[in-house]
Amino acid sequence: MLSFNKFRPQGVVANLFNQTRPTLIAPDTFISTRSYSIFQKTLDDPLRTSPTCFAGKTVLVTGANTGLGFEAALKSFGLHAKHVILGVRDVEKGEQAKQRILQTMPQIPLSLSETTRDGNPTSQRISVRKLDMSDYDSIHNFVNELAAKDGPLDVAILNAGVFGVKYEPLSKYGWENDLQVNVLSTALLSLLLLHAKAIKPKTGVLEFVASRRMRTVRLTEEEKNAPSLLEVFNRKQEKFDASRQYQVSKLLLVAFYKSLATRSANLVQGSPIITAVCPGFCQSNLSRGHQGFAADVLRAVLNTFVLRRTEEGARTLVTGTIPEEERHGRFWYDDELHDVMLPDNVGDTQQFANKILQDVITAIQCDTSVPVV
Ligand SMILES: NC(=O)c1ccc[n+]([C@@H]2O[C@H](COP(=O)([O-])OP(=O)(O)OC[C@H]3O[C@@H](n4cnc5c(N)ncnc54)[C@H](OP(=O)(O)O)[C@@H]3O)[C@@H](O)[C@H]2O)c1
């Protein structure tokens, strides 16, 4: 646990404290910074708001038009980032998100902005860039443009992700959508960013947005012994288990990340800090594929009683980017730094992670040329 936790108020006191304390970030956090879930309200401390300042920094957030990505971009701007880049598949939605951020910012109390903004609010800017995580050409173009125009990033939050409800349609590379977006394309983007040296060495942060629920995956013996887990989970199943598929995609992402971080620490001079976060179970559009009355009722119940607000989840995305070496290769959630723990039955974590990294690289090399870290 990091030392600042010592100074955090605990339990009920924390809730009272945070209820009245304003933050300098999202508009609704002026009202309250505590969790809205009744369970979290009573059982958990509220998550910390950002202790950091992004003044002078360039921050990339993928999937920034909505959900956690939007809130993280809003916070980054509120924390005075010099340049916030919204990586979005739909540029129009990205432009709308940019406008929402710009309209929100005047609500930041002047006293706060004067003390921490680097002199001139208008020196900040937001760019909207096309990034389709179902299309490798789009990912290549995105990284090329970034490297050519923006100089190295201080922070890259790889947030774009999906929770598919159906097996089909497959991506144009023949992959089930969760595997394509959450694993393969996210891996490709990270490798290209590293290869292009598009993130600052040592102090820059490359953050994967993962999910701790990947630990609940139980692989069968047959799955474990298969030559490629990616191939196993890409096969059409008799009945598509959307929830398991999503968790598997996050398991493969975390395994890839773990191996990448280990390799980078061992092999690459001046690697950025490579880290992963889990925002917790949050309100967002992630379940948008689940349609119908029952889904709406369940969503309403979860949103009201169980889930963290999107804004609160996004705090984790932002606090996860504090440039501390100890975060490299570890997992940040609930304001604590954890070792990466994969499901118990996958065997040795590092061996499993290395195997997944190789599988992922093989899969994306089929369709494109990928630098091997
Ligand atoms: N919400 C949770 O409880 C939770 C928990 C743990 C982890 N996470 C992770 O947090 C991240 C953000 O999810 P969220 O909950 O904020 O969901 P969300 O509201 O659905 O946002 C997902 C974002 O990813 C983008 N995206 C999806 N497919 C894309 C593609 N092919 N190319 C480019 N962008 C794409 C979406 O763009 P469009 O709007 O254009 O589709 C959207 O901006 C995901 O990685 C998710 O797995 C969420």
Side-chain angles (χ1 to χ4, degrees):
M1 192 183 296
L2 296 177
S3 52
F4 52 71
N5 277 317
K6 275 196 302 222
F7 305 110
R8 293 179 58 205
Q10 302 291 311
V12 176
V13 179
N15 277 331
L16 288 172
F17 178 77
N18 281 283
Q19 215 174 344
T20 51
R21 191 177 53 164
T23 79
L24 71 165
I25 311 160
D28 48 353
T29 55
F30 295 135
I31 304 161
S32 164
T33 64
R34 65 179 183 172
S35 160
Y36 269 35
S37 151
I38 52 168
F39 301 114
Q40 288 159 15
K41 245 190 269 182
T42 50
L43 299 179
D44 280 351
D45 290 339
L47 290 180
R48 281 189 318 138
T49 50
S50 305
T52 188
C53 176
F54 281 162
K57 292 192 173 184
T58 301
V59 178
L60 161 69
V61 185
T62 72
N65 56 292
T66 188
L68 294 162
F70 171 77
E71 289 290 342
L74 175 66
K75 284 179 184 298
S76 303
F77 199 72
L79 288 164
H80 318 293
K82 178 181 68 178
H83 188 190
V84 179
I85 301 168
L86 313 181
V88 293
R89 69 170 143 182
D90 181 333
V91 172
E92 204 180 311
K93 284 191 200 166
E95 288 294 345
Q96 286 164 7
K98 174 178 169 175
Q99 290 312 319
R100 289 208 307 278
I101 294 173
L102 292 173
Q103 282 158 14
T104 302
M105 276 310 115
Q107 296 175 37
I108 289 183
L110 256 184
S111 55
L112 286 171
S113 57
E114 274 170 359
T115 49
T116 41
R117 207 176 277 254
D118 57 343
N120 176 8
T122 55
S123 67
Q124 291 185 273
R125 73 193 164 103
I126 304 174
S127 301
V128 177
R129 300 272 167 79
K130 169 94 179 161
L131 172 64
D132 183 348
M133 297 288 282
S134 307
D135 181 345
Y136 295 154
D137 287 342
S138 171
I139 300 173
H140 274 278
N141 293 341
F142 176 80
V143 174
N144 289 342
E145 191 180 354
L146 202 72
K149 282 191 183 165
D150 302 304
L153 302 168
D154 295 278
V155 170
I157 301 179
L158 306 195
N159 162 79
V162 283
F163 174 19
V165 286
K166 292 195 186 117
Y167 173 76
E168 281 163 323
L170 299 182
S171 75
K172 64 177 164 184
Y173 310 105
W175 294 100
E176 183 281 323
N177 207 24
D178 288 11
L179 297 179
Q180 181 66 69
V181 174
N182 299 350
V183 188
L184 298 174
S185 293
T186 302
L188 175 63
L189 177 59
S190 69
L191 291 171
L192 292 177
L193 287 170
L194 292 172
H195 185 69
K197 301 201 184 329
I199 307 172
K200 280 189 184 155
K202 295 187 194 295
T203 57
V205 177
L206 170 61
E207 178 185 277
F208 292 89
V209 179
S211 166
R212 75 194 83 166
R213 281 187 57 75
M214 57 88 196
R215 274 213 82 201
T216 63
V217 173
R218 288 288 165 269
L219 298 175
T220 64
E221 283 306 307
E222 199 188 331
E223 287 164 351
K224 263 194 321 191
N225 297 329
S228 162
L229 270 185
L230 268 171
E231 296 287 354
V232 168
F233 285 95
N234 199 41
R235 275 181 220 134
K236 189 161 187 169
Q237 301 142 22
E238 216 167 276
K239 190 170 180 308
F240 183 66
D241 184 340
S243 183
R244 186 165 193 249
Q245 185 77 7
Y246 172 76
Q247 284 156 19
V248 165
S249 75
K250 290 295 180 181
L251 166 62
L252 300 181
L253 177 70
V254 172
F256 168 84
Y257 148 68
K258 176 70 186 159
S259 183
L260 180 71
T262 307
R263 280 174 184 233
S264 299
N266 293 344
L267 300 177
V268 183
Q269 287 291 320
S271 162
I273 294 160
I274 305 179
T275 193
V277 300
C278 169
F281 202 12
C282 302
Q283 298 167 2
S284 76
N285 291 317
L286 197 63
S287 68
R288 65 181 101 171
H290 293 270
Q291 298 290 333
F293 181 70
D296 288 346
V297 172
L298 182 61
R299 222 181 335 260
V301 171
L302 290 175
N303 281 342
T304 309
F305 297 115
V306 181
L307 304 188
R308 283 180 176 155
R309 285 179 303 142
T310 322
E311 178 281 317
E312 194 184 16
R315 296 179 200 177
T316 295
L317 272 57
V318 174
T319 53
T321 66
I322 298 170
E324 295 169 334
E325 249 178 68
E326 62 183 335
R327 288 169 185 260
H328 188 92
R330 299 183 75 198
F331 202 9
W332 174 252
Y333 54 84
D334 293 345
D335 284 349
E336 288 178 15
L337 204 47
H338 304 259
D339 288 331
V340 171
M341 305 277 281
L342 298 181
D344 294 335
N345 77 341
V346 303
D348 180 80
T349 296
Q350 199 60 52
Q351 263 180 22
F352 180 83
N354 292 344
K355 165 89 176 57
I356 298 301
L357 180 127
Q358 283 309 332
D359 286 354
V360 168
I361 284 176
T362 306
I364 44 191
Q365 270 180 333
C366 294
D367 311 292
T368 184
S369 66
V370 176
V372 177
V373 178

